Amino acid sequence: HLNISGGENLPEHGNFILAPNHASMLDPFVVAAAVDFDRLRRTYWAGWTGMAFANPLFRLVSRLAQALPIELDQAAFSSLALSLITLKRGNNLIWFPEGGRSPDGKLQPFMTGIALLLEHQPVPVVPVHIGGTFEAMPIGRRFPRFRPLQITIGKPIAAEELERLGHGNTRHQRMTNGLREAVRALSRQPPSS
């Protein structure tokens, strides 16, 4: 059972970055279920090469889903450049700012890669909170359990607003922490029925 709240917050015009928390392998499927087909066709996914391209089946699914290979260590700048080109072409991007799945289901610190993207392509960012996927399929579990799932889609936020909402010594830290606060705030909202 999936409860979708805030679908009306997805921008009608122009491109954007969707930024959900990440607690389970189920998260991309939940996000895909919450986005209408027309937007999904114009949407690319940032996918860590260690997972999204780990074997032939995952590579096939990742290519069909328009996943961009993201390398966290060695080729981080070329990964960001590929995402930046995607945004400059007018496409949407789904970016998991935690950089990986949460080991305990709690919101982890966000990585500053999203702030680097926004510095060069200041599109609106849509914060998203996904609930229930950790309980259904945490790290290490091979098959999901049936649990109620929720996705809450927040209102789009401009890069300047993220910086104002966040804290930190640099602009990138403030933007990243501002986005984390926006996702955290969505986790406290009761799901609509």
Side-chain angles (χ1 to χ4, degrees):
H1 176 62
L2 175 61
N3 184 317
I4 301 170
S5 176
E8 70 279 1
N9 291 328
L10 292 172
E12 290 285 328
H13 306 287
N15 61 334
F16 57 90
I17 297 174
L18 211 60
N21 63 307
H22 198 14
S24 171
M25 285 182 64
L26 297 175
D27 295 337
F29 301 103
V30 171
V31 172
V35 177
D36 63 85
F37 183 72
D38 285 338
R39 282 191 188 99
L40 211 49
R41 280 189 342 193
R42 299 184 324 256
T43 300
Y44 287 74
W45 301 72
W48 176 51
T49 55
M51 178 62 73
F53 298 89
N55 61 51
L57 177 62
F58 284 12
R59 278 193 294 277
L60 174 65
V61 170
S62 294
R63 286 189 180 115
L64 291 173
Q66 304 183 127
L68 303 173
I70 301 297
E71 192 59 58
L72 298 178
D73 297 326
Q74 300 157 339
F77 287 110
S78 61
S79 298
L80 287 170
L82 190 56
S83 298
L84 185 60
I85 290 167
T86 299
L87 289 170
K88 286 188 183 235
R89 289 183 177 165
N91 296 300
N92 304 318
L93 182 65
I94 297 173
W95 185 276
F96 291 95
E98 290 169 280
R101 290 175 289 160
S102 170
D104 58 6
K106 295 180 179 145
L107 194 62
Q108 302 299 302
F110 283 11
M111 299 176 81
T112 57
I114 193 158
L116 291 168
L117 284 175
L118 292 171
E119 181 178 41
H120 296 286
Q121 191 68 24
V123 298
V125 180
V126 179
V128 175
H129 183 266
I130 303 168
T133 56
F134 181 80
E135 293 75 16
M137 192 173 177
I139 292 175
R141 185 160 177 89
R142 294 184 68 150
F143 298 102
R145 295 180 281 230
F146 287 101
R147 297 290 186 266
L149 306 177
Q150 313 71 241
I151 184 166
T152 305
I153 301 167
K155 293 183 189 278
I157 305 172
E160 301 79 33
E161 181 66 11
L162 285 175
E163 184 179 2
R164 191 187 67 71
L165 292 171
H167 62 280
N169 296 327
T170 68
R171 181 172 193 243
H172 292 155
Q173 288 173 337
R174 289 189 296 273
M175 290 168 69
T176 302
N177 290 328
L179 177 58
R180 186 173 186 273
E181 245 340 281
V183 172
R184 182 191 299 278
L186 292 174
S187 74
R188 294 188 288 260
Q189 290 183 357
S192 64
S193 47

